[in-house]
Amino acid sequence: MEKDVAQKTAAALKGAGIDFVTYLPETRLSRILPLLEADSAFKLVPTSSEAEAVTIASGAALVGKQPAVYMEGTGLFVCSYNLLTVSIRVGTPILLLISYVGSMADQKNSFRFAPTGLRTEQQLRALNIEYQIAEDPAQVETQLQNATRMMHALKQPVALLFTGAFTL
Amino acid sequence: MNRSACLESLVPHITDQLVVPSVSGQWIWGHLTKEHDGNLLLGSMGNALGVGLGMALGLPHRKVIVIESDGSVLLSLFNLPTLGALKPDNLVVFVFDNEKYSGSRISRPSATAAGTDLAAVARDCGISHAVEVRDLDSFKRESQGALSRQGLGFVVAKVEETLEHRQAERSTADLTENKYRFVRYIERTEGKAVFRGRG
Amino acid sequence: MEPELASKLVNGLKAAGINFVTYLPETRLSQILPLMRQDEFFQLAPVASEAEGVSIAAGAALGGKQVASYMEGTGVFVSTYNLLTIAERFGIPMLLLVSYVGSAADKRNSFLYVRRGTRMIPVLEALGIEYQIVTDGENLETRIKDAVRMMHALKLPVVLLFTGEFTV
């Protein structure tokens, strides 16, 4: 992800009202992290597993935070249990910011990512999680606002899958 | 301490062991030991301890070596009580702990940077031979001891972050190709079929 | 599960050649565990999470064992990442013995289980994992043998979902 795209994404998260971000770092979108850390509007929570990242964000949602969980696409499979038994079952609005590794537009795609990546959207559909694909930084502000509105309307997790220019 | 130097010091001791590298130093290890058919590259975090434990239980007379990282062990920390309970005496685990997610391009700190002591956690899980080392001589002493001894070994090597893995030659062998190379090696050395079913 | 059905299930596994079983105990099928423990044909590996249950079974399969992993249905969501990145990505033959909690025929179904149960089939289909639902002891040995033949033919995990009489 180029620096200006990272800045645009971080600003859009703030504009959408996200104020609590749990994460397990990965490669493609990681440049947003120093920006979020430098801005006191965000409470940034590092974790050791996407499973706990989802559970912690759900807890924060239940006490009035507007949380997002930032993870690599493979993390979706690590936290499926937590999404299902906590976020979906209880109904906590959380925004999943997923680096869509192994997708067609992933600029770093390889045999290490593609076979698992192609299951990502199927898994989201199986869990009944609404999602959109973000590949154009020009649209990121609108997409984040739409996704945040949707998660509050549903009181459910909503996912944005970042690929294309976000994976440079 | 430098991770590559540690890995290089292990190479002369590799004979017929089964080696499961996690993502830490996977390309460096793969390059150093490219002739060793007993390597199984996993290419994912949080799986090497489990897969290595399964191999150790399934082939109790073979030595199994797992090469892990701090981030990967933290992702599947539930492996440690299971290891402590089952205590396979043919498994040696090396955890290279640089206190960072260095695959993340911006090197965010892992929980070990904030004080989590993986060797102490392992000991509290019943892995009595869990040690932490901070210099190459200690690593050589502990690794050779763990490899020659019968018993579950767990060596946490505190290393500095290096970016040399980005320069390392990356194998283009697909994970499935790598699996079959490993499986044929097991069949050759164990004299039995690994996978069943009609041809 | 009635003791007779538990014996039938364990005998079926033995007849199909399964000789290595990882497990995290649960309620509905747990009577099989003492039976397997007293038969030295089976090597049992108790685990702390279904996630490692799958990875450990995969390692044993690579060492030439005929493996199964026994878990509650929720464990499928816990081990999704391992099923995808190890069992499916590497092509490991593995029988999953899953207690299908929250299914329509689950005799102990309640609000605690049902939402997880309804996501089971969509998630297995999203992962591309073959499955069969078993509701009674009729032809059980044949059904287990069929599943084991299928897993060896596919070199992939195959799931048996136990409900109905197995959940009494």
Side-chain angles (χ1 to χ4, degrees):
Chain A
M1 178 191 255
E2 304 293 342
K3 209 169 175 186
D4 61 322
V5 176
Q7 282 166 343
K8 209 167 186 165
T9 307
L13 283 168
K14 191 172 174 177
I18 298 296
D19 59 7
F20 187 99
V21 181
T22 63
Y23 71 96
L24 186 62
E26 53 81 63
T27 317
R28 288 165 182 70
L29 309 182
S30 61
R31 287 203 170 117
I32 63 171
L33 287 172
L35 302 174
L36 301 183
E37 194 168 42
D39 189 336
S40 61
F42 296 101
K43 169 77 179 163
L44 198 57
V45 182
T47 67
S48 299
S49 158
E50 294 88 350
E52 63 175 348
V54 161
T55 309
I56 293 167
S58 294
L62 289 168
V63 296
K65 287 287 179 186
Q66 317 301 311
V69 184
Y70 155 45
M71 66 176 83
E72 191 178 77
T74 45
L76 175 67
F77 305 101
V78 176
C79 66
S80 290
Y81 172 76
N82 312 74
L83 283 168
L84 189 64
T85 58
V86 180
S87 317
I88 296 170
R89 184 68 185 90
V90 176
T92 56
I94 60 174
L95 183 61
L96 307 177
L97 307 170
I98 297 177
S99 143
Y100 193 2
V101 293
S103 56
M104 194 82 85
D106 177 3
Q107 306 293 305
K108 297 185 186 166
N109 203 5
S110 88
F111 69 85
R112 290 191 299 138
F113 309 118
T116 47
L118 67 85
R119 298 284 180 201
T120 307
E121 291 184 57
Q122 289 163 267
Q123 181 70 2
L124 286 169
R125 284 196 291 269
L127 294 170
N128 266 347
I129 294 177
E130 291 293 315
Y131 68 91
Q132 287 234 315
I133 294 169
E135 47 190 329
D136 177 7
Q139 302 295 322
V140 74
E141 187 177 348
T142 307
Q143 283 191 297
L144 277 169
Q145 283 183 351
N146 289 348
T148 309
R149 192 182 324 109
M150 178 63 101
M151 84 182 197
H152 287 308
L154 280 173
K155 312 272 182 296
Q156 286 286 323
V158 165
L160 274 180
L161 300 172
F162 290 87
T163 183
F166 293 96
T167 61
L168 283 170
Chain B
M1 181 162 51
N2 177 274
R3 182 181 57 190
S4 288
C6 294
L7 291 173
E8 279 168 26
S9 79
L10 292 178
V11 174
H13 304 281
I14 299 303
T15 51
D16 65 345
Q17 300 95 334
L18 310 177
V19 189
V20 189
S22 181
V23 290
S24 178
Q26 58 185 343
W27 303 122
I28 296 168
W29 182 259
H31 182 67
L32 286 172
T33 61
K34 64 170 96 165
E35 307 303 324
H36 185 51
D37 291 343
N39 283 333
L40 183 71
L41 176 67
L42 292 182
S44 61
M45 284 172 63
N47 278 317
L49 272 179
V51 172
L53 174 56
M55 289 176 183
L57 294 170
L59 291 173
H61 54 284
R62 293 292 287 265
K63 198 85 159 178
V64 179
I65 299 171
V66 167
I67 301 175
E68 267 289 11
S69 67
D70 48 324
S72 181
V73 170
L74 289 165
L75 181 64
S76 297
L77 202 59
F78 42 74
N79 288 152
L80 296 184
T82 301
L83 269 179
L86 296 172
K87 288 190 180 58
D89 65 5
N90 55 333
L91 179 66
V92 178
V93 180
F94 296 107
V95 183
F96 290 98
D97 179 4
N98 63 11
E99 305 185 352
K100 301 251 178 7
Y101 291 100
S102 40
S104 67
R105 184 151 70 179
I106 56 159
S107 299
R108 303 294 294 183
S110 77
T112 61
T116 295
D117 179 340
L118 289 173
V121 174
R123 280 193 297 275
D124 284 347
C125 291
I127 304 168
S128 51
H129 267 100
V131 293
E132 179 185 285
V133 293
R134 289 179 176 268
D135 62 76
L136 188 57
D137 285 339
S138 306
F139 178 81
K140 286 179 179 171
R141 185 183 65 245
E142 293 296 339
S143 60
Q144 286 163 28
L147 289 174
S148 56
R149 174 189 320 129
Q150 195 71 5
L152 174 58
F154 197 94
V155 179
V156 178
K158 297 293 274 191
V159 292
E160 69 255 22
E161 185 186 25
T162 56
L163 298 178
E164 55 203 4
H165 57 278
R166 295 192 191 163
Q167 271 74 54
E169 183 189 330
R170 297 161 76 105
S171 165
T172 56
D174 184 90
L175 298 180
T176 316
E177 182 180 345
N178 197 261
K179 175 192 83 168
Y180 278 105
R181 186 176 88 141
F182 179 89
V183 162
R184 301 305 172 213
Y185 175 70
I186 296 291
E187 288 178 336
R188 244 184 2 256
T189 54
E190 291 292 324
K192 68 172 185 181
V194 168
F195 293 142
R196 304 289 168 93
R198 300 176 69 212
Chain C
M1 180 166 45
E2 301 295 337
E4 197 185 326
L5 195 53
S7 301
K8 209 167 176 178
L9 176 46
V10 172
N11 290 339
L13 292 170
K14 191 171 176 178
I18 296 295
N19 58 11
F20 186 100
V21 182
T22 64
Y23 69 95
L24 188 63
E26 53 81 65
T27 318
R28 289 164 181 71
L29 306 183
S30 58
Q31 293 97 321
I32 64 173
L33 287 172
L35 299 176
M36 287 195 285
R37 200 171 291 127
Q38 69 195 35
D39 186 340
E40 61 185 26
F41 181 79
F42 295 104
Q43 186 175 358
L44 291 183
V47 299
S49 158
E50 295 89 348
E52 62 175 351
V54 167
S55 294
I56 292 169
L62 288 168
K65 292 285 180 183
Q66 312 306 310
V67 304
S69 191
Y70 155 46
M71 64 180 75
E72 190 180 75
T74 43
V76 170
F77 308 110
V78 176
S79 61
T80 304
Y81 172 73
N82 313 71
L83 286 168
L84 188 67
T85 58
I86 295 296
E88 187 174 318
R89 181 65 184 88
F90 283 84
I92 309 286
M94 174 185 303
L95 185 64
L96 300 181
L97 306 168
V98 175
S99 127
Y100 190 7
V101 293
S103 56
D106 177 4
K107 307 292 190 197
R108 298 183 201 185
N109 201 3
S110 86
F111 70 91
L112 286 174
Y113 312 116
V114 69
R115 295 291 186 95
R116 307 160 190 189
T118 56
R119 293 292 98 204
M120 174 65 71
I121 304 292
V123 165
L124 290 176
E125 288 180 350
L127 296 172
I129 294 178
E130 291 293 317
Y131 62 89
Q132 293 269 309
I133 299 170
V134 190
T135 55
D136 56 47
E138 202 175 327
N139 298 322
L140 185 58
E141 188 173 316
T142 304
R143 301 196 72 178
I144 293 171
K145 280 183 175 167
D146 288 349
V148 170
R149 191 182 327 106
M150 178 64 107
M151 84 185 199
H152 286 308
L154 279 173
K155 308 242 179 324
L156 282 174
V158 168
V159 179
L160 287 176
L161 295 167
F162 292 95
T163 183
E165 282 179 18
F166 293 91
T167 61
V168 172

